[in-house]
Amino acid sequence: MFDDMLGTAMSERGKQLLKDFPALQVLHKHDRKGVNGMIKVAEDCEEYNRRYAEPMALEIDERIGRDHDYFNWDIVKAGCQYRFLSLAIPEGVGGIAGKYIVTNMALAVHELCSTCGGIGLIFGAHTLGVSPLITAGAMAHWDTVLHEIAEEEKKGNPVLMAYAITEPSAGTDVEDPEFLAKGKIGMEARRTKGGYVINGRKCFISNGREAKYLTLTAALDRNRPLETWTTFLIENGMPGYSTPRVERKMGQRASHATELLFEDVFVPDSHVLGYPGDGMVNGILMVMGASRGPVGAIATGIATGAYNHFMAWAKTRRNGHAPIDEERIRMAAADMHAMLCANRNLFINHALVADASFGKVLAHPLVNSTYLTPRAIRTSKPMYKLLNSMAGKAFINTLLGLFISDEEITHILALASMAKFHCADNAMKITSKALELMGADDSEDRRWVEKCFRDAKLCQIYEGTNQLNRLCLYDTEISKELTVEIPRPFRAPLKVEVN
Ligand SMILES: Cc1cc2nc3c(=O)[nH]c(=O)nc-3n(C[C@H](O)[C@H](O)[C@H](O)COP(=O)(O)OP(=O)(O)OC[C@H]3O[C@@H](n4cnc5c(N)ncnc54)[C@H](O)[C@@H]3O)c2cc1C
């Protein structure tokens, strides 16, 4: 019956995807082309997993356990043929992102992480690094940095990005306006002629050592971090910039978490994304509104991997007995299945709502019409200067404000936080239950589940701990104390009461 509804031309993966995500089944009736694009993303990820990730993931994880400096570039290069680095790069500058930018991203990391959370994180953290360029509407850099990433990827050369907001003395504090207002910030970007000089450290930055470009937030005045929080584009190779240390990780090991050191790093004015002082909105809250839902997808992917290995173990007969013959194992399987269904609905719900705003802007004819201007003009010096000027930024932000309201962005952030903490908590429940029931079994399935358990834990920590995300949901949707105000020209900088 289901086959009849979807038509026989659809691949098995496509049919399964629509069964797993009922919202996509409904959407398929209204936008067949858009959903077919999502199916293609899922199929590509599945093929990548089968050909590259599955044969390598356990080996990479174990090798990094012994040698935490090791990074496997081959696994990243293999992703180029599927355009994983261009998932958030607009089509007009060579990427593959359109009106389902968030949904495709969520589906991609969900699928990739069902085999390996660490490999999935390399691509996920890269997209996170790209995000502030999109949310700040930094079109001057779309035609340079994003174009370069997309074009190099087509040639099989991965150019990675990273997103750097966490500091040694401020992790949770940088992700919430109220906490940032009283946070102890170490990094400072001091005004100088033609730009800023940055000093300080960032820590735990995924892809930090491997990234050619970083998006970074820093205070212009450490005593007024919230009002002066600003987003910058950093290029690896800027004098004074280094990556002294890579962390020893428990999970998601294939992706490095790195300490970044800035010693008098000069960053030109052109590399300020958005307005100076609006970093909490364009560099954090809008980015998190897009990316926390996909973290829920990462967690769900990892838990799905654990569930699949658990079920394979449960159905394996030894001496005439299979664990699945026992009622307690069947009940545990039903619990896991229900949690995975709930997770999928939560993160796809966020993604589709986010795309009704972010995707709508990206695919809008007005944005697309800018690509009718020849590239030579778009990348000319005067145009670069205009787009980076206050007038150019004001124009882009005014347009953005016409398409997305503060209420929409606030609601998207609430859905993102809810998907993030609920999916991550369920992933911990699923992976730990599976590991517990498999006991001291020394099968390959148990090795995978043990890795999934370690990988799942990180989903409760990054992109704001689950505690912070609970508070964010409360502030935005329950008490309605926090509204994300999109930066607009002449709008007063964000301020909060500090008790
Ligand atoms: C492997 C890894 C990769 C990461 N990747 C990146 C990255 O790519 N880019 C990046 O910028 N950052 C990254 N992070 C940083 C991550 O986002 C932070 O670790 C996270 O925000 C928590 O900050 P913290 O570790 O300083 O913990 P803390 O802020 O010190 O928090 C410690 C505990 O206290 C709780 N807590 C703190 N303040 C409050 C409060 N006011 N109310 C209630 N509870 C509170 C927290 O929830 C947590 O449980 C990564 C971290 C890890 C471990």
Side-chain angles (χ1 to χ4, degrees):
M1 196 268 261
F2 201 81
D3 287 358
D4 290 346
M5 275 162 48
L6 299 176
T8 43
M10 186 174 283
S11 66
E12 287 309 309
R13 186 71 195 90
K15 288 174 189 166
Q16 187 60 46
L17 194 81
L18 299 205
K19 275 185 198 162
D20 286 346
F21 296 95
L24 300 186
Q25 211 181 109
V26 177
L27 186 64
H28 190 252
K29 293 189 198 316
H30 305 282
D31 185 359
R32 193 168 280 247
K33 190 170 163 231
V35 176
N36 285 345
M38 296 172 198
I39 293 171
K40 170 87 172 70
V41 168
E43 285 171 347
D44 282 352
C45 294
E46 189 182 52
E47 184 182 300
Y48 170 87
N49 280 346
R50 198 175 51 250
R51 289 178 64 189
Y52 304 104
E54 266 167 39
M56 297 286 291
L58 283 180
E59 200 183 309
I60 293 174
D61 179 75
E62 279 168 16
R63 169 130 187 224
I64 297 175
R66 297 190 302 272
D67 170 13
H68 69 287
D69 263 328
Y70 173 72
F71 185 81
N72 190 304
W73 273 106
D74 290 340
I75 206 85
V76 189
K77 279 192 186 134
C80 288
Q81 61 190 289
Y82 303 98
R83 310 294 315 276
F84 293 157
L85 299 178
S86 298
L87 280 164
I89 297 182
E91 284 169 353
V93 291
I96 57 171
K99 68 175 170 180
Y100 294 115
I101 176 172
V102 182
T103 308
N104 280 331
M105 187 59 213
L107 290 172
V109 289
H110 173 248
E111 191 77 37
L112 292 173
C113 291
S114 69
T115 292
C116 179
I119 294 171
L121 178 61
I122 299 174
F123 298 110
H126 163 82
T127 301
L128 187 61
V130 170
S131 303
L133 292 167
I134 306 289
T135 55
M139 290 183 87
H141 302 289
W142 294 12
D143 262 312
T144 51
V145 173
L146 299 188
H147 178 76
E148 177 192 336
I149 294 170
E151 291 308 310
E152 287 301 313
E153 186 177 44
K154 287 178 196 163
K155 295 182 221 154
N157 303 325
V159 175
L160 284 179
M161 284 200 71
Y163 175 67
I165 60 171
T166 306
E167 303 192 3
S169 61
T172 299
D173 287 347
V174 301
E175 302 213 24
D176 176 274
E178 200 179 326
F179 298 161
L180 180 61
K182 39 188 176 178
K184 284 193 175 54
I185 300 302
M187 177 173 275
E188 195 167 54
R190 197 170 26 81
R191 189 85 184 104
T192 188
K193 192 167 177 285
Y196 296 83
V197 173
I198 301 186
N199 278 290
R201 284 171 198 272
K202 293 282 178 186
C203 61
F204 299 139
I205 307 307
S206 304
N207 292 349
R209 182 168 282 178
E210 295 74 29
K212 179 169 180 191
Y213 298 105
L214 312 160
T215 41
L216 168 128
T217 53
L220 306 184
D221 176 352
R222 285 192 295 159
N223 298 317
R224 293 188 307 126
L226 177 62
E227 292 96 317
T228 66
W229 204 237
T230 299
T231 315
F232 295 93
L233 173 68
I234 305 295
E235 298 183 28
N236 194 342
M238 283 176 161
Y241 170 72
S242 59
T243 56
R245 199 164 62 97
V246 165
E247 301 291 338
R248 283 179 192 281
K249 291 175 72 178
M250 178 176 98
Q252 301 188 22
R253 286 174 176 165
S255 146
H256 277 163
T258 310
E259 184 178 43
L260 315 180
L261 177 61
F262 289 75
E263 294 170 298
D264 286 332
V265 177
F266 173 73
V267 183
D269 280 330
S270 60
H271 283 40
V272 173
L273 307 178
Y275 308 115
D278 74 12
M280 176 43 81
V281 179
N282 73 26
I284 310 259
L285 296 178
M286 285 174 74
V287 172
M288 294 295 159
S291 66
R292 279 179 182 158
V295 172
I298 290 180
T300 308
I302 293 169
T304 302
Y307 172 79
N308 291 341
H309 287 288
F310 169 75
M311 290 305 285
W313 164 83
K315 288 176 186 167
T316 304
R317 288 201 173 273
R318 297 169 197 84
N319 306 322
H321 170 83
I324 203 73
D325 297 338
E326 297 173 36
E327 195 175 66
R328 68 187 180 109
I329 302 289
R330 294 200 296 275
M331 288 198 314
D335 274 340
M336 292 178 199
H337 185 88
M339 280 189 266
L340 289 174
C341 282
N343 273 18
R344 285 193 294 265
N345 285 331
L346 265 181
F347 82 71
I348 209 74
N349 180 39
H350 159 263
L352 291 170
V353 173
D355 277 337
S357 294
F358 292 121
K360 182 180 76 181
V361 175
L362 214 58
H364 197 279
L366 204 64
V367 175
N368 282 326
S369 67
T370 61
Y371 304 120
L372 297 175
T373 315
R375 235 188 85 73
I377 297 179
R378 296 197 326 253
T379 53
S380 64
K381 262 193 180 161
M383 187 59 94
Y384 189 75
K385 226 173 152 184
L386 176 71
L387 287 172
N388 275 318
S389 68
M390 291 308 264
K393 289 177 183 180
F395 178 69
I396 292 171
N397 269 312
T398 307
L399 280 185
L400 192 69
L402 293 179
F403 297 117
I404 311 185
S405 70
D406 295 347
E407 288 68 30
E408 278 175 313
I409 291 289
T410 308
H411 181 55
I412 290 169
L413 181 64
L415 294 179
S417 284
M418 185 161 62
K420 193 273 183 191
F421 76 74
H422 206 74
C423 292
D425 283 352
N426 276 348
M428 275 316 287
K429 283 183 197 155
I430 292 167
T431 54
S432 50
K433 189 72 188 172
L435 199 57
E436 195 181 299
L437 290 172
M438 291 169 91
D441 189 88
D442 67 354
S443 66
E444 175 121 333
D445 283 317
R446 190 185 174 283
R447 279 175 69 204
W448 280 104
V449 173
E450 183 264 342
K451 176 178 173 313
C452 293
F453 171 78
R454 286 187 283 107
D455 287 353
K457 182 67 200 172
L458 187 52
C459 299
Q460 292 182 313
I461 300 169
Y462 58 23
E463 299 232 11
T465 60
N466 276 12
Q467 291 88 339
L468 181 271
N469 276 282
R470 284 185 166 84
L471 292 175
C472 181
L473 175 65
Y474 182 84
D475 290 346
T476 48
E477 202 91 329
I478 302 174
S479 73
K480 300 195 186 306
E481 281 163 25
L482 175 64
T483 301
V484 182
E485 297 188 345
I486 301 170
R488 304 224 168 95
F490 312 119
R491 182 173 244 175
L494 197 64
K495 271 202 173 118
V496 296
E497 294 278 321
V498 178
N499 303 315

